[in-house]
Amino acid sequence: MSERFDVAIIGSGVGGSMIAHRLAPTGASILVLERGERLVREDRNWDPEAVYANACYKAEEQWYDAQDQPFRPGQFYYVGGNTKVFGTTMFRFRREDFAELAHEGGLSPAWPISYDDLEPYYAEAERLFGVHGEAGRDPTEPGRSGPYPHAPVRHDPGIAEVEKRLQGLGLKPFPLPTSVQYHEGGACIACDTCDGFPCKVDGKGEAEVCLLDPALKNGNVSLRTGVHVDRLVTDASGRRIIAAEYSSDAGAGRIEADLFVLSAGAINSAALLLRSANGTHADGLANSSGMVGRCYMNHNCSAVMALKPFQRSHVHFQKTLSLNDFYFGDGHDHAYPLGNIQLLGKIKEPMLRDSLWFLPRPGRDWLAGHSVDWYVMSEDLPDPESRVTVRPDGGIRLSWRRTNTQAHQRLVARTKKMLRAAGFPIVVSKAFSKETPSHQCGTVCFGDDPSSSALDPFCKAHDHDNLYVVDAGFFPSSAAVNPALTVAAQALRAGEQIARVELTRTSHHG
Ligand SMILES: Cc1cc2nc3c(=O)[nH]c(=O)nc-3n(C[C@H](O)[C@H](O)[C@H](O)COP(=O)(O)OP(=O)(O)OC[C@H]3O[C@@H](n4cnc5c(N)ncnc54)[C@H](O)[C@@H]3O)c2cc1C
């Protein structure tokens, strides 16, 4: 049985939900196909034992690395995608991130659009997600057309003290932009289980709450959960996508549509395009450039715990402070970009069990009880051999080749030095592994040239007349700040283009 819609959207994360939100007022019939279900609001949402030690919300999926070793990736397949558990940091990329930039590990390529092209969409995306922040404090901040929608979330007293100490060192810490609904009418209670946890009270500014649910209030938008899209089917010419074939517990199905928007996440979107290879497109859809699945990037990230042995940490909502003093380098010591430093959600003992298994539990309890926790992030550069491929059994192989690692090591060392100078005698760090593809991007990159990119600057496939890909796969470079707001802004821009150009052809206006 086949059903027909004007627009079929695959995936309900930031990209897919933003497209549904933007196209809802056009009146077009829109179906969102999501492999996951709605994440249930329940007590264990905030239970670190359940969420971390038992990984109860993590996908039960196995991927393979370049050496064919299986691993369980940190993927969260729910309505709202990975934003159900995200840390709510909502950064704009820096103006310079859109241009070619020399790094210690190589070149970060230019984007086919500029910061100014995306600025109005950043502003609208911040409004939709309800971002808190303070313009004018971040020394690397690009120009803005207006203030943040909400004032920054106030620091807990312990963090206010850290901020003062960092300022005393001549640094410029600033309020971390964050999309929690900690404002009038919002449900957030600024608790200590945000980053990495689902929100039991819908207090996060995330894709399901801010975009998809409002879109579904329009009768023309519908959502189908528990459907895994296995393949996209083209017409005989190969130019048009005619159907998405899916499997579900209720059986297989087929959705036909005039327009398809793929937003399954950078890794799954690349895998789906590769799995959809056919007689006309033997190497996969949208892939005449050979770029689909290539240039997989994920930031180089480390967690850094700063400890005062004689002072317990009483921080609740910890994600309120960030530094970009070393984003473009370390003054005279180092000329190349190093990256961003931001507070992490409060680390709790169960989160340390995997990496500090050798420490007795009281040791881990002590660490978590005395630390201020940071997230240190450096740019990963595009390498064509860093790839997503599909195994003969249809499974995903993720061969991540990390790049620019010296820059990250320098940033971690610089952060430790800074924190020791700010009064924390003990500072320890741990790098995030390949099993945490949280900031995955780059696998279906956009560009002006069809021979070196899969998508055009509006995220439409060069090779197809009716296919857009709007998840983080379109990034030509990863920058060194969190990706979700940039996915949101470009999806909004692509949605506007779809409403203006594609849907007017089928008589819908928006
Ligand atoms: C723990 C964690 C913390 C994070 N914190 C931050 C943060 O603080 N700030 C930030 O900017 N970013 C953060 N991120 C990253 C952020 O969540 C992602 O960048 C963002 O969600 C990407 O949006 P997307 O639309 O590209 O993909 P996703 O959010 O991954 O959405 C893809 C959707 O497609 C669905 N899907 C996949 N395959 C199929 C298929 N074959 N058929 C049907 N449906 C499919 C998935 O279930 C999912 O719902 C975090 C991520 C994690 C995991």
Side-chain angles (χ1 to χ4, degrees):
M1 275 283 287
S2 179
E3 298 164 81
R4 187 159 189 90
F5 293 83
D6 293 325
V7 182
I9 300 171
I10 300 156
S12 65
V14 179
S17 292
M18 184 61 94
I19 293 286
H21 190 276
R22 176 61 188 83
L23 298 187
T26 64
S29 62
I30 299 166
L31 176 65
V32 181
L33 293 156
E34 168 55 52
R35 73 189 283 175
E37 298 293 345
R38 289 211 187 245
L39 198 154
V40 178
R41 278 72 171 152
E42 54 188 351
D43 285 345
R44 66 177 186 164
N45 289 166
W46 287 350
D47 176 0
E49 195 70 36
V51 176
Y52 277 86
N54 302 332
C56 68
Y57 298 115
K58 195 164 147 177
E60 294 282 354
E61 197 176 32
Q62 197 152 280
W63 291 355
Y64 293 81
D65 67 13
Q67 284 72 43
D68 219 27
Q69 293 305 306
F71 66 97
R72 186 179 170 198
Q75 289 277 107
F76 297 85
Y77 297 140
Y78 294 98
V79 174
N82 281 306
T83 63
K84 289 308 294 178
V85 297
F86 87 149
T88 71
T89 300
M90 284 298 214
F91 265 112
R92 298 177 178 206
F93 280 13
R94 320 290 81 185
R95 177 177 288 284
E96 295 83 347
D97 290 326
F98 292 81
E100 190 175 275
L101 202 57
H103 284 252
E104 187 170 10
L107 270 189
S108 174
W111 287 38
I113 59 174
S114 68
Y115 173 76
D116 291 330
D117 292 325
L118 216 48
E119 200 285 332
Y121 304 98
Y122 271 133
E124 178 61 5
E126 283 174 346
R127 193 188 65 75
L128 289 168
F129 281 102
V131 179
H132 292 248
E134 186 180 345
R137 299 267 313 270
D138 171 356
T140 65
E141 183 181 59
R144 307 172 52 92
S145 52
Y148 280 94
H150 301 284
V153 179
R154 199 167 327 131
H155 300 307
D156 273 2
I159 301 302
E161 175 61 28
V162 176
E163 182 184 39
K164 258 201 222 123
R165 294 257 188 153
L166 294 171
Q167 285 167 338
L169 297 172
L171 297 165
K172 295 190 173 62
F174 59 90
L176 182 64
T178 176
S179 67
V180 283
Q181 318 247 313
Y182 195 60
H183 40 257
E184 207 171 323
C188 174
I189 56 166
C191 70
D192 60 354
T193 45
C194 185
D195 200 352
F197 292 83
C199 187
K200 195 166 74 175
V201 295
D202 278 347
K204 276 191 196 192
E206 38 95 337
E208 180 190 24
V209 170
C210 297
L211 305 175
L212 191 62
D213 282 346
L216 289 170
K217 293 203 173 112
N218 297 266
N220 53 315
V221 183
S222 50
L223 166 69
R224 199 160 302 169
T225 59
V227 289
H228 182 280
V229 175
D230 303 315
R231 229 183 128 70
L232 296 175
V233 182
T234 67
D235 65 6
S237 75
R239 285 295 312 176
R240 288 191 74 76
I241 313 298
I242 53 172
E245 293 177 348
Y246 67 80
S247 48
S248 72
D249 287 348
R254 180 182 160 98
I255 300 295
E256 293 179 1
D258 290 334
L259 188 82
F260 289 83
V261 181
L262 178 54
S263 188
I267 295 169
N268 276 300
S269 282
L272 177 56
L273 292 168
L274 296 172
R275 285 189 197 113
S276 303
N278 60 26
T280 325
H281 298 284
D283 295 327
L285 301 189
N287 198 22
S288 60
S289 63
M291 291 308 291
V292 171
R294 291 192 184 268
C295 295
Y296 165 72
M297 291 169 279
N298 187 25
H299 288 135
N300 294 312
C301 294
S302 294
V304 173
M305 296 175 83
L307 297 120
K308 288 187 183 172
F310 302 110
Q311 190 174 314
R312 274 197 76 79
S313 159
H314 295 291
V315 171
H316 289 99
F317 185 71
Q318 192 172 244
K319 295 196 62 95
T320 57
L321 195 68
S322 183
L323 292 106
N324 275 331
D325 295 76
F326 315 117
Y327 196 86
F328 294 116
D330 186 5
H332 22 263
D333 280 356
H334 189 68
Y336 291 112
L338 294 182
N340 166 266
I341 304 167
Q342 62 186 261
L343 282 168
L344 195 56
K346 184 70 206 90
I347 286 185
K348 290 158 185 294
E349 187 277 332
M351 301 174 177
L352 299 174
R353 259 180 236 171
D354 259 6
S355 47
L356 298 182
W357 53 269
F358 49 87
L359 257 192
R361 181 167 179 159
R364 292 191 301 262
D365 275 332
W366 183 86
L367 277 176
H370 288 79
S371 65
V372 173
D373 314 299
W374 298 84
Y375 188 44
V376 176
M377 191 187 316
S378 310
E379 181 156 348
D380 186 16
L381 301 166
D383 176 345
E385 295 311 316
S386 182
R387 294 181 75 171
V388 177
T389 48
V390 176
R391 286 160 44 99
D393 65 1
I396 288 177
R397 184 188 311 283
L398 185 62
S399 312
W400 180 25
R401 275 208 195 173
R402 283 176 193 259
T403 65
N404 206 25
T405 50
Q406 292 109 317
H408 185 59
Q409 284 157 13
R410 279 182 211 283
L411 184 60
V412 171
R414 192 66 191 78
T415 305
K416 287 180 170 177
K417 189 172 158 196
M418 169 189 95
L419 291 171
R420 280 194 291 267
F424 294 87
I426 304 173
V427 187
V428 293
S429 68
K430 174 90 174 79
F432 282 67
S433 72
K434 65 170 186 301
E435 286 155 39
T436 314
S438 309
H439 293 179
Q440 56 186 271
C441 63
T443 51
V444 196
C445 73
F446 74 165
D448 292 312
D449 181 357
S451 71
S452 58
S453 60
L455 310 173
D456 78 7
F458 283 103
C459 284
K460 183 175 183 173
H462 290 299
D463 296 346
H464 304 284
D465 296 331
N466 62 341
L467 175 66
Y468 284 73
V469 184
V470 298
D471 53 49
F474 76 83
F475 288 19
S477 66
S478 64
V481 285
N482 321 54
L485 193 72
T486 299
V487 179
Q490 171 67 0
L492 197 50
R493 183 170 174 268
E496 190 171 288
Q497 172 79 353
I498 292 170
R500 199 161 47 82
V501 175
E502 309 287 350
L503 295 185
T504 44
R505 290 194 195 124
T506 52
S507 82
H508 295 285
H509 302 274

